[in-house]
């Protein structure tokens, strides 16, 4: 039969070994992250270029006024019917 004292001793040894392993792993991880933050350059956001507006060609790509009026009337009718 195994003595309870030897079981507690083995449990304590296993616990200390596990805690030491986790501590060493986390310490190495912290130093690696610090090292990488010094070695790797910071990311600089790219400049977003604004699109050039072509005022002469807007009439061909725009929606016709009749379509805008029809959509506005439909939205107005839908909203007024839901309000009741």
């Amino acid at each position: 039969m195994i003595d309870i004292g030897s079981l507690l001793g083995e449990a304590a040894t296993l616990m200390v070994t596990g805690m030491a392993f986790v501590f060493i792993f986390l310490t190495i991880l912290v130093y690696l992250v610090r090292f990488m933050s010094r070695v790797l350059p910071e990311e600089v956001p790219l400049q977003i270029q604004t699109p050039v507006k072509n005022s002469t060609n807007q009439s061909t790509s725009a929606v016709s006024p009749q379509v805008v009026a029809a959509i506005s009337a439909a939205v107005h009718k839908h909203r007024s019917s839901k309000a009741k």
Side-chain angles (χ1 to χ4, degrees):
M1 192 162 159
I2 300 176
D3 186 25
I4 191 75
S6 65
L7 285 176
L8 287 175
E10 287 180 32
T13 304
L14 184 61
M15 180 187 67
V16 171
T17 305
M19 290 175 65
F21 179 76
V22 169
F23 178 76
I24 290 170
F25 175 77
L26 291 177
T27 304
I28 291 171
L29 185 67
V30 166
Y31 283 113
L32 281 177
V33 169
R34 285 184 184 176
F35 175 72
M36 287 176 55
S37 68
R38 288 185 186 145
V39 171
L40 297 177
E42 291 184 21
E43 290 185 25
V44 178
L46 298 174
Q47 297 280 341
I48 299 175
Q49 297 180 358
T50 57
V52 178
K53 293 185 179 181
N54 191 358
S55 61
T56 60
N57 201 11
Q58 280 186 347
S59 62
T60 60
S61 66
V63 179
S64 68
Q66 290 88 6
V67 173
V68 172
I71 292 173
S72 298
V75 168
H76 178 69
K77 185 174 181 179
H78 177 72
R79 286 184 180 167
S80 65
S81 68
K82 279 208 158 200
K84 292 181 182 179

